[in-house]
């Protein structure tokens, strides 16, 4: 949530800032603004607007700004309602600030400042930091901006990514991160700052990922990095291989649709170099957890939020079956608050597309504190979670822009499947024959997903029939229960239709009371080991006048007479059915939302990466 872009160089800063902010729209926001400083005249101009970035662009057309240094921000409200006054940047005197995160002690600091006669013009916690810097700024000191910001940070509590400029120091940008991501981009006689690497790809591939507590003072041709103790440090320069085109729509109407169709390629990339068809093995060279340490693991936690939590639910059954070790799947937002049983014999697996999810990161740190071996499934390289873990498995899905996660989910499930095979082989609880069969099955996935994508028109016809409903129920058993939860989440978050996922066997324990001819019931019943039981639940819905949409295997001719409409997946090994079932439900949610005309890629009130608790 929230997006930050900073620039110092030779080009017009406003163009770079707007371009970068447009790449960060997917993160979710309710207002936007930029501040641009002209180095020659030391004049600072700020433009802010409520709503989408196009509103800010319109304002800049009528009220242009000029300068070669600037900062920009898209805000997702945490303190103070969405308004122009609460939009960033915030300026106090010569100091202008943008901020992601939360200043937890801002009320105490604000009260102290007000006793000194300071007047506030917004409801935000960020304005506090602007005042703290302004009162400490010594304009006669060449290091005045750096020293003032460093001093102000000593009284701040909370999570943050701050970027600061000052008209008194017209060639400098200060930035700091604590619990919120920040990256520095290196160009030729120009330097960039952003909260996400996707904002920089049009200008540079050479980046430095700031570590926890880092501060940086940048000029067009100089970067000074300091750690949280104020000591100068060096951080490695990384080269990003994502192309700018990967973050563009590429002819699709929405990013979500593009990313749904990218899933076969994303799974190929996730498996590349890891799926060894010739030997029937999985190679995870990045995983350092060895057989000796693994033999002492007696409990596994998977911790995540939202869609990633659903991926963990799918993986739970697979890991328990292969390893014969108990697996718990926890919501990261609850994990720390229940005094979890974690010690050095615990394996903690955290799952996060961005690697910056605040609750998941906090759960990870708690597990580390208690001595657990930690591992992460992440998409974004060098993210906070990835760096904090003992081991990290990158999904290599490429940038996922739409708020509603699709290819991240499928690649997370695949990565966890690879991990289960790998660990099972280490423990000698998965035979070479079993591994061979699993590896050969996973290799089929891209082709089978391509087959489902060809049924796009048929899914849209089903969507037309449910687009005006107010409620929807999803039912499934086993791994398909997890997919029912994920399917319901997709529908509710982008179409705003109330949808719930239930274990099909639980229908008689409450949800059956909701069934009538007005509410669609999507029953996920491919030909798996639960098929007969799920079919029985489907028939119970039909007996009560319910309208059934069955998600079924292609060879299932019986289901046509048992349901009103069907969504089809290819016949496949049972280990693949959960992933195959996911795709039609993603398409269904997309088509319903598109037909209703909602903002598919940026649904209301949601953010792509939840970086505050």
């Amino acid at each position: 949530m929230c997006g930050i872009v900073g620039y110092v160089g030779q080009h017009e800063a406003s163009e770079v800032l707007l371009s970068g902010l447009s790449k960060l729209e997917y993160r979710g926001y309710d207002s936007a603004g930029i501040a641009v400083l002209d180095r020659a005249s030391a004049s600072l101009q700020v433009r802010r607007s409520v709503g989408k970035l196009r509103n800010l662009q319109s304002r800049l057309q009528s009220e242009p700004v000029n300068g070669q240094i600037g900062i920009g921000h898209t805000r997702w409200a945490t303190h103070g309602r969405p308004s122009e006054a609460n939009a960033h940047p915030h300026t106090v005197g010569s100091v202008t600030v943008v901020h992601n995160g939360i200043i937890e002690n801002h009320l105490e600091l604000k009260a102290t400042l007000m006793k000194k006669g300071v007047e506030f013009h917004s409801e935000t916690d960020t304005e506090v930091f602007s005042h703290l810097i302004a009162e400490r700024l010594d304009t006669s000191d060449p290091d005045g901006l750096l020293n003032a910001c460093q001093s102000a940070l000593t009284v701040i509590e909370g999570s943050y990514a701050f970027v600061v400029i000052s008209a008194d120091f017209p060639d400098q940008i200060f930035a700091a991160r604590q619990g919120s991501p920040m990256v520095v981009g290196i160009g030729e006689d120009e330097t960039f700052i952003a909260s996400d690497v996707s904002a920089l790809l049009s200008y540079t591939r050479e980046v430095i990922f700031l570590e926890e507590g880092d501060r940086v003072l940048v000029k067009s041709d100089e970067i000074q990095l300091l750690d949280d103790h104020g000591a100068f440090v060096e951080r490695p320069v990384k080269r990003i291989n994502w192309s700018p085109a990967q973050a563009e729509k590429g002819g699709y109407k929405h990013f979500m649709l593009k990313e749904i169709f990218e899933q076969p390629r994303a799974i190929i990339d996730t498996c590349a170099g890891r799926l060894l068809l010739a030997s029937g093995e999985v190679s995870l060279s990045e995983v350092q957890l060895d057989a000796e340490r693994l033999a002492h693991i007696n409990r596994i936690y998977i911790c995540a939020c939202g869609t990633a939590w659903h991926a963990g639910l799918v993986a739970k059954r697979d890991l328990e079956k292969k390893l014969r070790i108990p697996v718990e799947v926890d919501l990261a937002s609850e994990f720390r608050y229940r005094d979890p049983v974690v010690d050095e014999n615990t394996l903690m697996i955290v799952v996060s597309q961005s690697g910056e999810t605040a609750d998941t990161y906090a759960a990870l740190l708690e597990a580390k504190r208690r001595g657990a071996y930690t591992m992460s499934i992440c998409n974004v390289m060098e993210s906070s979670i990835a760096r904090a873990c003992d081991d990290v498995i990158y999904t290599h899905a490429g940038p996922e822009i739409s708020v509603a996660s699709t290819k991240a989910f499928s690649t997370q499930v695949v990565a966890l499947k690879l991990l289960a095979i790998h660990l099972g082989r280490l423990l000698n609880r998965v035979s070479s024959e079993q591994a061979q069969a699993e590896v050969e099955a996973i290799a089929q996935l891209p082709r089978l997903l391509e087959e489902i994508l060809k049924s796009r028109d048929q899914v849209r016809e089903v969507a037309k029939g449910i687009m005006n409903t107010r409620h929807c129920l999803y039912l499934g058993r086993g791994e398909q229960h997890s997919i029912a939860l994920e399917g319901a989440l997709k529908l509710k978050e982008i179409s705003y239709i109330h949808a719930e996922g239930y274990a099909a066997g639980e229908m008689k324990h409450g949800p059956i009371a909701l069934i009538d001819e007005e509410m669609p019931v999507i029953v996920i019943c491919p030909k798996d080991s639960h098929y007969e039981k799920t079919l029985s639940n489907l028939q119970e819905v039909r007996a009560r006048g319910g309208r059934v949409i069955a998600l079924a295997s292609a060879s299932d001719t019986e289901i046509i007479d048992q349901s009103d409409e069907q969504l089809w997946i290819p016949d496949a090994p049972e280990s693949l059915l959960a992933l195959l079932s996911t795709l039609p439900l993603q398409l269904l949610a997309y088509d319903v939302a598109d037909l209703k005309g909602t903002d598919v890629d940026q649904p209301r009130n949601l953010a792509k990466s939840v970086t505050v608790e």
Side-chain angles (χ1 to χ4, degrees), residues 325-344:
I325 299 173
V327 178
E328 296 186 43
V329 184
D330 267 70
L331 288 166
S333 57
E334 296 289 331
F335 183 79
R336 287 178 296 153
Y337 305 111
R338 66 175 183 84
D339 193 19
V341 181
V342 176
D343 57 25
E344 65 276 4

Side-chain angles (χ1 to χ4, degrees), residues 107-120:
L107 291 176
E108 172 190 338
L109 294 170
K110 185 174 182 178
T112 300
L113 288 165
M114 290 178 70
K115 287 180 181 177
K116 298 178 181 179
V118 170
E119 293 185 7
F120 283 82

Side-chain angles (χ1 to χ4, degrees), residues 140-315:
S140 65
D141 180 359
D143 295 322
L145 181 62
L146 174 64
N147 292 335
C149 292
Q150 292 275 64
S151 175
L153 286 172
T154 62
V155 299
I156 293 290
E157 297 174 7
S159 63
Y160 54 76
F162 286 113
V163 182
V164 185
I165 58 175
S166 169
D168 292 316
F169 298 87
D171 61 343
Q172 301 177 15
I173 303 179
F174 174 86
R177 68 151 292 181
Q178 181 72 44
S180 196
M182 184 76 72
V183 61
V184 176
I186 304 169
E188 187 173 341
D189 294 327
E190 57 186 356
T191 308
F192 309 82
I193 294 174
S195 49
D196 189 317
V197 69
S198 62
L200 309 180
L201 291 178
S202 296
Y203 300 97
T204 182
R205 304 284 188 86
E206 307 296 323
V207 301
I208 298 171
F209 291 93
L210 298 190
E211 297 189 6
E212 198 75 349
D214 278 357
R215 294 91 192 268
V216 62
L217 189 74
V218 304
K219 303 177 183 180
S220 59
D221 58 353
E222 183 182 2
I223 299 172
Q224 298 179 40
L225 269 167
L226 302 90
D227 63 17
D228 55 355
H229 300 296
F232 287 99
V233 294
E234 291 187 6
R235 303 290 184 214
V237 177
K238 304 282 187 176
R239 181 167 179 81
I240 303 301
N241 292 321
W242 293 351
S243 69
Q246 283 183 287
E248 301 296 337
K249 292 180 183 176
Y252 289 92
K253 186 175 182 180
H254 296 97
F255 281 113
M256 182 180 179
L257 185 61
K258 174 177 180 273
E259 288 155 9
I260 288 173
F261 273 78
E262 285 178 337
Q263 284 174 108
R265 190 273 310 159
I267 288 172
I268 289 171
D269 289 348
T270 299
C271 295
R274 295 166 171 168
L275 206 62
L276 308 181
L277 285 170
S279 60
E281 297 287 349
V282 167
S283 173
L284 291 178
S285 58
E286 63 267 55
V287 174
Q288 303 304 306
L289 178 62
D290 57 23
E292 182 179 355
R293 178 70 191 271
L294 181 59
H296 292 90
I297 297 295
N298 57 27
R299 179 184 293 106
I300 298 173
Y301 287 102
I302 301 176
C303 215
C305 299
T307 284
W309 182 67
H310 296 155
L313 290 174
V314 175

Side-chain angles (χ1 to χ4, degrees), residues 14-146:
S14 61
E15 297 175 7
V16 178
L17 298 177
L18 286 173
S19 173
L21 291 178
S22 71
K23 303 299 191 298
L24 300 179
E25 284 192 284
Y26 71 93
R27 295 168 68 93
Y29 68 104
D30 49 54
S31 58
I34 66 170
V36 172
L37 180 58
D38 181 73
R39 281 181 288 196
S41 63
S43 63
L44 179 73
Q45 300 180 79
V46 177
R47 301 288 184 267
R48 301 182 293 182
S49 65
V50 177
K52 296 299 183 183
L53 194 59
R54 59 179 174 267
N55 297 339
L56 177 62
Q57 291 169 324
S58 296
R59 182 164 183 183
L60 285 166
Q61 287 177 353
S62 59
E63 302 175 56
V65 294
N66 300 104
Q68 296 75 44
I69 180 171
I71 54 178
H73 191 264
T74 50
R75 175 180 186 256
W76 194 80
T78 53
H79 294 83
R81 67 192 185 282
S83 68
E84 186 172 325
N86 290 331
H88 297 209
H90 288 290
T91 301
V92 174
S94 70
V95 174
T96 301
V97 175
V98 294
H99 165 222
N100 290 351
I102 294 176
I103 301 174
E104 295 174 357
N105 61 335
H106 78 282
L107 291 176
E108 172 190 338
L109 294 170
K110 185 174 182 178
T112 300
L113 288 165
M114 290 178 70
K115 287 180 181 177
K116 298 178 181 179
V118 170
E119 293 185 7
F120 283 82
H121 303 283
S122 76
E123 303 167 279
T124 70
D125 54 341
T126 305
E127 190 181 351
V128 169
F129 191 60
S130 306
H131 286 287
L132 291 173
I133 298 170
E135 73 172 6
R136 290 164 165 78
L137 193 65
D138 180 355
T139 57
S140 65
D141 180 359
D143 295 322
L145 181 62
L146 174 64

Side-chain angles (χ1 to χ4, degrees), residues 590-602:
Y590 171 81
D591 282 330
V592 170
D594 184 41
L595 289 166
K596 287 170 66 72
T598 63
D599 193 341
V600 172
D601 286 331
Q602 299 169 48

